């Protein structure tokens, strides 16, 4: 397959995934209002789950019947590796701290999110599972048919970010998506990004509900005399993370070029 042919197929896949997303949102916009739900908590659950399940269904069907992908979602046991979870969580926290001052430069956004039980269940458990099945399990597999693992990971992370809408949230979601894709490739298991996504959403929800929304993480940590030291340490963590992510993606690309699959990756020391 020529380079131009691969590029065209890659673009077609991106357009197809985007179209699936739009159709899912439009269908949800028609279906959800039919259910006249007065409870704000339940309405939030239904409003989220409906388009996401429609999108997941569309991605799975496209991957199976159009792409006929041989490399499907990976469910390996290494996805439960505590070392990967701790390293991934450290990267997510470091990103939150380092990016926080920069996010202040972007337009402010207001989020009116209910605080009921079903909202917590949706954000902390349902969202991570469904979104990882869509973007790491589905979109990544779709893009792997025409792209290298690195490009597939970047595209799935980019689409994941775009789905979150607002600029500041989209940037944070894209970078988190890069970490989730990295964990997925590193462990060859969808369980790793799901668990990291749960950790990430728990932290985000707690900060949203139990802090003042006009403040950022840096406002609270910045009150500490050692803030500059903490910031520098987190910056070093990110640099190390970028290096290891690059190494992991490069190993995956090399493996595919050798005609193997991601299941053939051997464990790395950090696991």
């Amino acid at each position: 397959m020529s380079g131009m042919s691969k590029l065209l197929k890659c673009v077609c896949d991106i357009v197809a995934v985007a179209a699936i997303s739009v159709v899912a949102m439009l269908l949800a916009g028609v279906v959800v209002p039919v259910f006249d739900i007065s409870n704000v908590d339940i309405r939030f659950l239904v409003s989220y789950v409906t388009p996401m399940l429609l999108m997941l269904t569309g991605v799975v069907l496209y991957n199976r019947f159009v792409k006929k992908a041989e490399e499907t979602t990976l469910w390996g046991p290494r996805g439960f590796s505590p070392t990967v979870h701790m390293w991934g969580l450290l990267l997510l926290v470091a990103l939150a701290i380092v990016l926080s001052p920069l996010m202040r430069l972007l337009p402010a956004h207001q989020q009116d999110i209910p605080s009921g039980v079903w909202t917590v269940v949706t954000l902390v458990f349902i969202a991570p599972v469904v979104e990882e099945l869509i973007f790491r399990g589905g979109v990544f597999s779709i893009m792997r048919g025409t792209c290298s693992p690195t490009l597939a990971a970047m595209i799935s992370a980019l689409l994941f970010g775009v789905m979150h809408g607002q600029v500041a949230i989209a940037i944070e979601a894209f970078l988190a998506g890069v970490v989730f894709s990295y964990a997925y490739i590193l462990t060859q298991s969808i369980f790793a990004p799901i668990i990291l996504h749960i950790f990430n959403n728990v932290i985000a929800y707690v900060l949203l509900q139990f802090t003042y929304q006009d403040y950022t993480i840096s406002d609270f940590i910045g009150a500490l005399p050692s803030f500059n030291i903490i910031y520098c340490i987190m910056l070093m963590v990110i640099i190390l993370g970028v290096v290891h992510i690059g190494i992991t993606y490069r190993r995956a690309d090399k493996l595919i070029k050798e005609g193997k699959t991601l299941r053939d990756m051997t464990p790395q020391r950090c696991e």
Side-chain angles (χ1 to χ4, degrees), residues 9-154:
K9 287 189 176 184
C10 184
V11 171
C12 287
D13 287 338
I14 294 174
V15 171
V17 172
I20 290 171
S21 303
V22 171
V23 171
M25 296 300 177
L26 291 175
L27 286 176
V30 173
V31 173
V32 173
V34 173
F35 303 96
D36 188 15
I37 305 173
S38 57
N39 186 295
V40 177
D41 199 31
I42 300 297
R43 186 164 65 244
F44 180 85
L45 168 65
V46 175
S47 298
Y48 172 82
V49 170
T50 304
M52 288 296 101
L53 288 182
L54 288 172
M55 186 176 176
L56 177 60
T57 302
V59 166
V60 170
L61 291 176
Y62 181 81
N63 197 26
R64 181 169 183 178
F65 295 106
V66 178
K67 296 293 294 182
K68 298 179 180 178
E70 296 180 3
E71 191 172 284
T72 55
T73 305
L74 304 175
W75 299 88
R78 279 198 285 150
F80 294 103
S81 167
T83 307
V84 172
H85 300 157
M86 288 187 289
W87 172 234
L89 182 59
L90 180 59
L91 280 176
L92 293 171
V93 171
L95 281 171
I97 293 175
V98 172
L99 288 176
S100 187
L102 303 178
M103 294 298 104
R104 297 291 296 271
L105 302 177
L106 298 175
H109 57 270
Q110 295 294 328
Q111 290 181 298
D112 185 17
I113 298 178
S115 55
V117 174
W118 284 111
T119 297
V120 175
V121 170
T122 301
L123 294 176
V124 174
F125 296 106
I126 297 177
V129 173
V130 175
E131 290 176 10
E132 290 311 309
L133 288 175
I134 292 173
F135 293 99
R136 256 54 65 181
V139 175
F140 180 86
S141 295
I142 289 172
M143 300 314 303
R144 270 289 303 113
T146 49
C147 305
S148 66
T150 297
L151 188 55
M154 292 299 106

